[in-house]
Amino acid sequence: MNMKISKLNYQVNSEKTKPIEKVSEIFKGFSVFVNGFTDPPALVIRDLMIAHGGEYHCYYMHRKTSFVIATSIANAKIDRIREKEIFIRADWITESISAGRALPYNQFLIYEKGANEKARIENFFTKTTSSTNEKCGSQSEIGGFLDARNPHFIKDYYARSRLHLISTLAQDMKDFVANLRQNSEKSTKKMRKGNLVFHIDLDCFFVSVALRTRSELINEPVAISHRANSGASSGASSMSEIASCSYPARKCGVKNGMLVKNALKMCPRLVLLPYQFDDYIEVSKRIYEILAGFSMNLRAVSCDEMYLSCPDEKNQEAVEFAEEIRRIIREETGCTASVGIGPTSLIARLATRHAKPDGVHMVTASQVSSFIASEKIKNLPGIGYQMMDKLGENLETCMELQTKSERELAGIFGPKQSAKIWRQCRGLEEDSEEFWEVQIRKSVSCDINYGIRFGKREDLNQLLKAISEEIESKLIQCQMMAGSVTLKLMIRSPNAPIETAKFMGHGHCDTQTKTINLTTSTCRATQILQETMKLSRIILASTKIEDLRGVGVTCAKLKSRTRKDAVEAVKEMFKKKSDVRNVEENEKIEKSVQGSFGFFNLTVIEIGKMERRQKLKGLDWLSMIKCAPTETTVIRIHRYFLFLLKSGRFTELRQQFQKFLDYSADLKKSHKSWFFASNAIQQRIKEESKEFFGIYVDFLTKNEEALMREKMEKKDEEKLQKMKKNWKLVEIIVEESNTKLNKS
DNA sequence: ATCCTCCCCTAC
DNA sequence: TAAGGTAGGGGAGGAT
Ligand SMILES: Nc1ccn([C@H]2C[C@H](O)[C@@H](COP(=O)(O)OP(=O)(O)OP(=O)(O)O)O2)c(=O)n1
Ligand SMILES: [Mg+2]
């Protein structure tokens, strides 16, 4: 059947488009996968590889694909890279071709697990020792437990947080699916109605992984938790959560997310096993690679769960196909998966519950209405405990829910929810078009709601700094700029005890959030920190810092740096009015947190007099930005815009600067580093404009601009001329710090 | 009406 | 001791 044929993956190595002429065999035995935007782009790389005897993979196959071709690798992702996953730059291909042989990859290396490890470890130690000496030491480390005042708290915490792991893995898998589409040239075929939807979900994921090496426990109640390897029967009072429990354990009523102590009450012989984070990463990536071999019409849900859509086959074949998927997953990962099949994602997903554990369940279109009728309402996706509560009464099954009219539901829930539920409980819910489209991130966040016990405002600032840096790293990873910053604080409820039930937990809290919209979007930690500090002072004005239990920062209104909407950001920049009251405050905050951010290495230098007008008039920055920014090019471009600014040529400045930012964000028109360089120049110009005019020039309205021009031209003409001769400018040279980018 | 902010809820 | 993250949908109520 079609599926099985297409299973021989989408390597696109032969057939399809015009056959590619073999020119050489230098890449024989090498295969590459392209991650993100590269120069040359993915499709060119494909042709080059094939023309020179290599292979091009549309998705990464661990231990099969020789190299991942990329421009850079985000810090935020490094922790989840596997052994043998080798990232190199695209010029390995072009240079090898010029050299007429496959060059050793190490000169083109971006990242390889193990290879860079040593350097990273050294780096870590120098950092650790120097900063430990600085400040933190005694108070923030108690018996090996880093509390949130320690600058390494987040890393340490993330290393043990299962929820952080599954969240980030899910995001990685969404990226993987998005990449898959981008790399396979043929954009997704329109989802015809009548397609079959497969829902694939690993059975008790974490437990399955553990049981690969503990097969004697296969029929025993088993659960995964942190408390697993401490003293034998000590779990009786453990407040640890169970991440996943086996099906025998579920028979006793144990559930994922339950406290160990409660689970042990229900099931005293429950066997607790420890986490195996690295293995979850490995298995999760593997199942996505496997499924990518069957179809590109995937939707990633989480690290162990996804949807696949394919043309309707005869029922028998659909089940066979599902069994085939399950067999391969079992053979290659040692974990069992279950598959639900239905005409829509809703039905497929509900079917999976019947399939579990280790099975397949299919619901045909004609069976839908009788199938859904006996489903539990609680199992409908989106209906949790609160909604069940609101429904009240003793409603259990969808059949019972069907007796409620949409109007009745609308009295309990909002308009959207009620419409959705009404359709869901009848099995009528269709999948929207977007369901199968590439999922675009709408926000980036970092929350720490554990281990927060502060005594000073400064403690919070320290954490906010770490969070801001984490967010910067994530924004860079997904190549986005943030247009808004939201701070969320969890504060101990007045009646809640000061000592929480769970050690260092947050206990019962009230949450407060506050949002700021940025006048120009950003990806920089310094600015995010500045905003969150401001917000925190507003929220905490009436609260004791000791009652703080959780801190979260969300960035939204994201703009893609590679898309044209970056232009929008720039246009906005020149429209908004200045909030004069904030200027001073901003500065104060900025002073207090100056320096210490690794991303930009800012060097202050002095340059000589302003050059003459003619010379600068036609500055050819268009060609300058084709190469990596250097001291000279950054200075010259900055000086050019400054000149326009100071000579009052605002219109020209606007046009040119917009174009500059636009081009700098466009990888086709500029070297990638100009994205950052242009940002720094933008910041700089902003500051200088304030210095010079007493107002941010990018906040000028039309009227203000006219006034300003008048002032410039008439009253201050002479003064200006004089100044022009003697300007000494303090400039900033931007250089990307090598902690963030690849070594060359 | 429609938008925005500050929540709450859900899912893994 | 314990590692309670993260992204998306949506509703209430006020502003526009
Ligand atoms: N409260 C939770 C829920 C889930 N997970 C983790 C552990 C699970 O193994 C994994 C997948 O979640 P699932 O909901 O798919 O649950 P399982 O895979 O454990 O069981 P099953 O899918 O068979 O119901 O996510 C977690 O840590 N904490
Ligand atoms: Mg599962």
Side-chain angles (χ1 to χ4, degrees):
Chain A
M1 92 188 158
N2 288 345
M3 263 334 184
K4 283 188 183 156
I5 298 162
S6 65
K7 188 218 157 228
L8 293 175
N9 84 44
Y10 286 79
Q11 290 178 17
V12 208
N13 285 327
S14 46
E15 27 76 38
K16 281 198 176 170
T17 50
K18 60 173 190 282
I20 294 156
E21 206 181 317
K22 271 265 165 63
V23 204
S24 84
E25 290 286 342
I26 62 173
F27 292 137
K28 198 170 168 64
F30 289 104
S31 53
V32 300
F33 158 74
V34 176
N35 186 5
F37 298 94
T38 52
D39 180 26
L43 293 178
V44 174
I45 289 181
R46 184 197 64 180
D47 293 350
L48 289 175
M49 284 304 290
I50 297 169
H52 294 272
E55 276 185 52
Y56 174 85
H57 291 174
C58 264
Y59 57 93
Y60 180 76
M61 287 181 285
H62 197 214
R63 293 172 202 279
K64 287 214 186 96
T65 310
S66 332
F67 302 122
V68 179
I69 307 288
T71 18
S72 65
I73 181 159
N75 255 12
K77 223 175 157 180
I78 280 184
D79 291 339
R80 297 188 296 283
I81 287 171
R82 295 167 285 184
E83 297 288 333
K84 298 266 173 194
E85 215 163 327
I86 302 172
F87 287 71
I88 60 172
R89 296 192 310 269
D91 46 356
W92 174 72
I93 293 173
T94 45
E95 304 227 341
S96 291
I97 291 171
S98 330
R101 65 190 168 91
L103 297 170
Y105 70 85
N106 41 1
Q107 319 161 17
F108 306 94
L109 191 63
I110 295 170
Y111 186 83
E112 176 179 7
K113 197 170 182 186
N116 306 38
E117 219 75 297
K118 228 174 110 190
R120 282 181 64 217
I121 287 166
E122 272 163 22
N123 197 357
F124 177 78
F125 276 120
T126 51
K127 263 192 207 156
T128 316
T129 44
S130 64
S131 63
T132 334
N133 292 344
E134 268 173 39
K135 254 195 175 173
C136 55
S138 53
Q139 293 187 358
S140 59
E141 190 168 348
I142 310 154
F145 184 92
L146 298 182
D147 85 20
R149 283 169 292 187
N150 191 304
H152 296 113
F153 171 73
I154 293 191
K155 261 212 158 332
D156 183 71
Y157 178 57
Y158 278 177
R160 302 163 213 272
S161 164
R162 76 185 201 282
L163 290 175
H164 170 74
L165 182 87
I166 64 175
S167 300
T168 45
L169 257 186
Q171 193 56 53
D172 285 356
M173 296 308 114
K174 284 171 194 179
D175 293 346
F176 173 88
V177 171
N179 239 312
L180 195 66
R181 304 253 175 109
Q182 183 204 310
N183 279 11
S184 64
E185 172 168 51
K186 279 249 153 57
S187 62
T188 32
K189 282 146 251 167
K190 259 232 156 62
M191 281 297 135
R192 293 186 334 237
K193 284 222 169 114
N195 267 14
L196 268 192
V197 179
F198 294 69
H199 176 244
I200 299 109
D201 189 324
L202 295 189
D203 302 320
C204 47
F205 182 25
F206 289 8
V207 174
S208 293
V209 168
L211 293 188
R212 298 191 295 187
T213 50
R214 299 294 300 271
S215 51
E216 77 277 8
L217 294 173
I218 249 163
N219 295 311
E220 299 296 313
V222 173
I224 307 299
S225 79
H226 272 304
R227 291 281 302 132
N229 28 20
S230 51
S233 60
S234 64
S237 61
S238 170
M239 295 292 287
S240 282
E241 275 180 30
I242 283 175
S244 178
C245 60
S246 69
Y247 280 80
R250 290 180 202 197
K251 285 221 183 83
C252 319
V254 179
K255 290 202 173 93
N256 288 1
M258 201 176 244
L259 296 182
V260 166
K261 63 168 184 180
N262 295 338
L264 282 173
K265 263 182 225 150
M266 309 178 95
C267 181
R269 10 185 256 110
L270 187 66
V271 179
L272 297 173
L273 297 177
Y275 289 99
Q276 299 170 241
F277 283 3
D278 286 345
D279 294 332
Y280 308 147
I281 297 171
E282 176 91 32
V283 170
S284 183
K285 290 187 174 180
R286 194 74 200 98
I287 59 169
Y288 274 86
E289 285 163 20
I290 292 169
L291 269 292
F294 284 102
S295 169
M296 291 186 320
N297 295 321
L298 298 180
R299 183 187 170 91
V301 178
S302 74
C303 60
D304 83 323
E305 183 182 350
M306 72 187 91
Y307 293 98
L308 179 155
S309 158
C310 79
D312 204 344
E313 302 280 338
K314 293 210 178 77
N315 298 346
Q316 193 53 43
E317 285 185 344
V319 174
E320 261 174 42
F321 176 48
E323 289 293 358
E324 175 77 352
I325 292 174
R326 280 165 21 77
R327 184 182 63 77
I328 298 177
I329 291 180
R330 188 176 348 103
E331 282 172 6
E332 301 216 2
T333 67
C335 295
T336 62
S338 296
V339 178
I341 311 169
T344 61
S345 67
L346 172 68
I347 302 300
R349 183 183 163 125
L350 293 171
T352 306
R353 291 191 96 81
H354 296 262
K356 275 172 181 291
D358 197 15
V360 178
H361 186 85
M362 163 134 153
V363 177
T364 62
S366 59
Q367 295 166 341
V368 166
S369 64
S370 66
F371 170 79
I372 195 86
S374 54
E375 282 297 296
K376 290 222 170 71
I377 300 169
K378 177 71 222 294
N379 291 343
L380 294 174
I383 303 209
Y385 294 103
Q386 304 304 316
M387 292 192 86
M388 283 305 281
D389 253 17
K390 282 196 190 171
L391 266 177
E393 300 172 46
N394 301 319
L395 293 181
E396 265 253 359
T397 65
C398 285
M399 182 154 48
E400 290 157 19
L401 185 53
Q402 285 173 16
T403 62
K404 297 249 183 208
S405 68
E406 193 170 347
R407 187 152 324 192
E408 274 176 285
L409 292 173
I412 312 174
F413 308 108
K416 299 253 184 128
Q417 300 270 40
S418 38
K420 183 167 185 207
I421 295 165
W422 190 87
R423 294 184 69 77
Q424 277 184 327
C425 72
R426 272 154 249 258
L428 294 175
E429 201 189 41
E430 297 282 337
D431 294 320
S432 63
E433 282 288 321
E434 310 113 77
F435 185 85
W436 294 102
E437 311 251 302
V438 172
Q439 301 170 74
I440 299 159
R441 235 185 213 267
K442 294 180 177 143
S443 65
V444 167
S445 64
C446 172
D447 297 66
I448 308 285
N449 299 313
Y450 181 83
I452 307 294
R453 294 296 185 279
F454 292 149
K456 302 192 304 280
R457 175 58 62 83
E458 188 45 38
D459 298 339
L460 172 60
N461 292 347
Q462 184 76 39
L463 179 65
L464 285 175
K465 180 171 177 243
I467 289 179
S468 302
E469 283 168 351
E470 174 65 22
I471 293 211
E472 173 184 280
S473 156
K474 283 182 163 199
L475 284 169
I476 289 167
Q477 185 195 345
C478 62
Q479 315 212 349
M480 293 283 193
M481 303 273 282
S484 76
V485 178
T486 301
L487 179 70
K488 185 194 76 173
L489 297 183
M490 292 182 81
I491 294 154
R492 181 178 67 86
S493 292
N495 52 353
I498 293 185
E499 285 294 336
T500 52
K502 192 199 278 280
F503 174 68
M504 284 282 151
H506 58 57
H508 187 263
C509 286
D510 298 319
T511 59
Q512 292 203 49
T513 66
K514 204 122 190 73
T515 303
I516 264 190
N517 288 316
L518 305 174
T519 41
T520 86
S521 34
T522 189
C523 63
R524 293 185 56 187
T526 37
Q527 200 185 344
I528 296 167
L529 173 59
Q530 183 183 304
E531 304 300 345
T532 52
M533 283 171 68
K534 233 188 295 180
L535 293 171
S536 75
R537 263 185 298 152
I538 300 170
I539 298 181
L540 286 180
S542 55
T543 334
K544 278 190 297 182
I545 192 86
E546 288 81 6
D547 288 336
L548 193 65
R549 291 286 181 271
V551 182
V553 176
T554 302
C555 284
K557 306 215 167 122
L558 301 185
K559 314 232 149 134
S560 166
R561 99 179 215 206
T562 51
R563 265 167 231 273
K564 277 286 166 276
D565 38 349
V567 182
E568 293 297 311
V570 178
K571 283 182 184 155
E572 277 167 29
M573 165 180 147
F574 289 97
K575 275 181 196 155
K576 299 269 165 71
K577 261 197 107 166
S578 168
D579 184 349
V580 180
R581 285 163 305 170
N582 277 343
V583 170
E584 274 185 346
E585 195 183 26
N586 282 353
E587 269 182 349
K588 251 198 326 223
I589 294 172
E590 196 146 26
K591 278 235 175 67
S592 73
V593 298
Q594 233 166 18
S596 73
F597 288 92
F599 194 71
F600 291 96
N601 180 11
L602 305 172
T603 319
V604 179
I605 63 139
E606 219 185 23
I607 61 162
K609 291 176 185 172
M610 200 70 174
E611 287 179 37
R612 286 222 311 275
R613 191 179 173 124
Q614 293 93 319
K615 233 184 170 178
L616 288 161
K617 195 174 175 185
L619 185 73
D620 185 18
W621 56 264
L622 267 173
S623 61
M624 285 181 172
I625 63 175
K626 293 232 160 67
C627 312
T630 62
E631 237 175 62
T632 325
T633 53
V634 171
I635 292 175
R636 287 184 63 188
I637 291 176
H638 172 242
R639 212 184 323 177
Y640 168 59
F641 288 121
L642 202 63
F643 174 81
L644 292 180
L645 173 68
K646 297 200 172 181
S647 52
R649 290 152 65 182
F650 297 119
T651 317
E652 198 181 336
L653 174 65
R654 279 183 187 181
Q655 288 167 353
Q656 289 292 307
F657 204 68
Q658 273 174 32
K659 198 169 163 193
F660 172 59
L661 289 188
D662 183 17
Y663 278 39
S664 301
D666 189 339
L667 292 171
K668 288 197 209 73
K669 297 199 164 80
S670 66
H671 182 274
K672 62 178 195 292
S673 300
W674 278 104
F675 173 67
F676 305 110
S678 62
N679 252 296
I681 292 178
Q682 180 184 24
Q683 292 299 322
R684 195 65 200 157
I685 299 260
K686 204 158 98 176
E687 282 157 30
E688 280 155 346
S689 67
K690 204 208 127 228
E691 211 170 277
F692 197 72
F693 298 121
I695 187 168
Y696 283 149
V697 78
D698 54 345
F699 300 142
L700 288 180
T701 60
K702 273 267 180 225
N703 272 346
E704 284 169 322
E705 182 191 327
L707 276 174
M708 194 65 64
R709 185 192 294 276
E710 206 173 80
K711 197 165 144 194
M712 298 294 303
E713 283 174 357
K714 292 185 180 161
K715 291 189 184 169
D716 295 337
E717 181 66 37
E718 251 182 285
K719 200 171 155 195
L720 183 71
Q721 289 301 332
K722 207 167 147 194
M723 287 184 72
K724 268 188 193 169
K725 284 178 193 154
N726 300 312
W727 271 333
K728 292 224 166 178
L729 300 173
V730 175
E731 289 257 6
I732 290 189
I733 309 303
V734 181
E735 202 181 80
E736 291 168 45
S737 132
N738 52 4
T739 50
K740 293 281 170 174
L741 283 176
N742 347 313
K743 334 211 142 97
S744 47

